[in-house]
Amino acid sequence: MAKTQRVLIDIERSTDSTVHALPARGVRIETVLAGKTVRNTPQKERNTPIYQMLDDSFDISFCTNSTVNDFSFYPIPEFAIFAVDSRGGCMGTIGGCGDLEDDRYAVGYVGGGQGYKVAGSLKDFLEMAIYYPCWREVAHCIRESLPYSMIRLLEEYESTHPDTESDRRQLASQLSLNHNPRSMDLLAACLKSSDSFSVYHSREEAEAIHQFHS
């Protein structure tokens, strides 16, 4: 069986995703896109009430005029950022650009210099986010092996976000989202698969560990 050589292609520096070097005999080249992209909401959609509700009640502010330089970390594989929150964190799809109709790409969260997968698709993420808006706190507790009460976390969150329930109903109807009682189980499973998404402080830090295509 041929050995596999993993080579990273930095999408922040190059649009050429082709590796031209010939691999050694018996070696198969696996190319992986790495780095950030930003998916800004189109101008004509920015005043849609959906985005305001997600921001006001669920702390998900979709990007409008962001660039890759606004985010000081380096992800592997490619991370397509679509939203930020009030905590300095950001959300994006891992490995490519996904949407509500596309379940190929998982969703990741990056905050405090750390990144981890939080949902299997954008739809799964939004269903988790509107029905369990305390998912960030839950993720922290799971990652740190801390006890938590889902009931208490939900009550505390909704006490400071009075429009949560009405906004939830509207978003669920308009985006065809449903309550998934297994959302927190799926979150826990995603957090345990952290090897599928890595975040470094810079490309230089990533280069000390991974091989990049020059």
Side-chain angles (χ1 to χ4, degrees):
M1 182 181 294
K3 295 181 179 180
T4 299
Q5 180 180 350
R6 190 169 184 248
V7 178
L8 303 183
I9 298 174
D10 186 353
I11 61 173
E12 295 183 25
R13 296 187 182 181
S14 173
T15 57
D16 182 5
S17 60
T18 303
V19 175
H20 300 286
L22 292 175
R25 184 175 181 180
V27 175
R28 182 176 65 88
I29 295 292
E30 176 192 2
T31 60
V32 177
L33 300 183
K36 305 177 295 290
T37 58
V38 178
R39 299 178 61 193
N40 286 309
T41 304
Q43 181 72 43
K44 63 181 181 180
E45 297 179 14
R46 294 179 185 176
N47 294 323
T48 304
I50 286 175
Y51 295 105
Q52 195 61 54
M53 288 187 285
L54 285 167
D55 190 1
D56 291 343
S57 289
F58 304 101
D59 199 11
I60 301 173
S61 178
F62 275 69
C63 298
T64 53
N65 296 296
S66 299
T67 70
V68 294
N69 294 327
D70 296 328
F71 304 94
S72 57
F73 63 87
Y74 192 87
I76 299 174
E78 173 188 357
F79 188 55
I81 301 166
F82 60 78
V84 298
D85 63 20
S86 63
R87 309 175 187 206
C90 63
M91 292 139 269
T93 48
I94 300 170
C97 296
D99 55 35
L100 278 174
E101 305 300 324
D102 188 345
D103 62 2
R104 289 178 297 168
Y105 302 112
V107 172
Y109 180 77
V110 179
Q114 296 183 314
Y116 39 90
K117 186 168 72 170
V118 295
S121 67
L122 183 56
K123 183 177 181 182
D124 285 351
F125 171 72
L126 290 176
E127 288 182 338
M128 175 183 72
I130 70 168
Y131 286 100
Y132 297 93
C134 55
W135 61 271
R136 298 172 185 84
E137 288 79 8
V138 173
H140 172 74
C141 290
I142 292 174
R143 284 167 55 82
E144 299 297 326
S145 300
L146 300 173
Y148 65 91
S149 166
M150 179 61 66
I151 294 176
R152 181 179 60 80
L153 288 174
L154 286 173
E155 288 177 347
E156 289 179 353
Y157 188 93
E158 297 193 10
S159 69
T160 58
H161 297 79
D163 295 326
T164 296
E165 183 55 36
S166 61
D167 287 349
R168 177 184 293 128
R169 287 197 299 268
Q170 292 188 61
L171 288 168
S173 174
Q174 294 182 45
L175 299 177
S176 298
L177 303 175
N178 298 294
H179 173 240
N180 183 350
R182 295 190 61 246
S183 284
M184 294 298 95
D185 294 334
L186 295 174
L187 171 62
C190 285
L191 294 173
K192 292 177 182 177
S193 63
S194 58
D195 58 337
S196 62
F197 180 52
S198 301
V199 169
Y200 301 88
H201 290 99
S202 64
R203 167 172 162 153
E204 287 69 31
E205 182 182 22
E207 282 180 317
I209 303 173
H210 302 278
Q211 178 180 352
F212 279 78
H213 171 54
S214 58

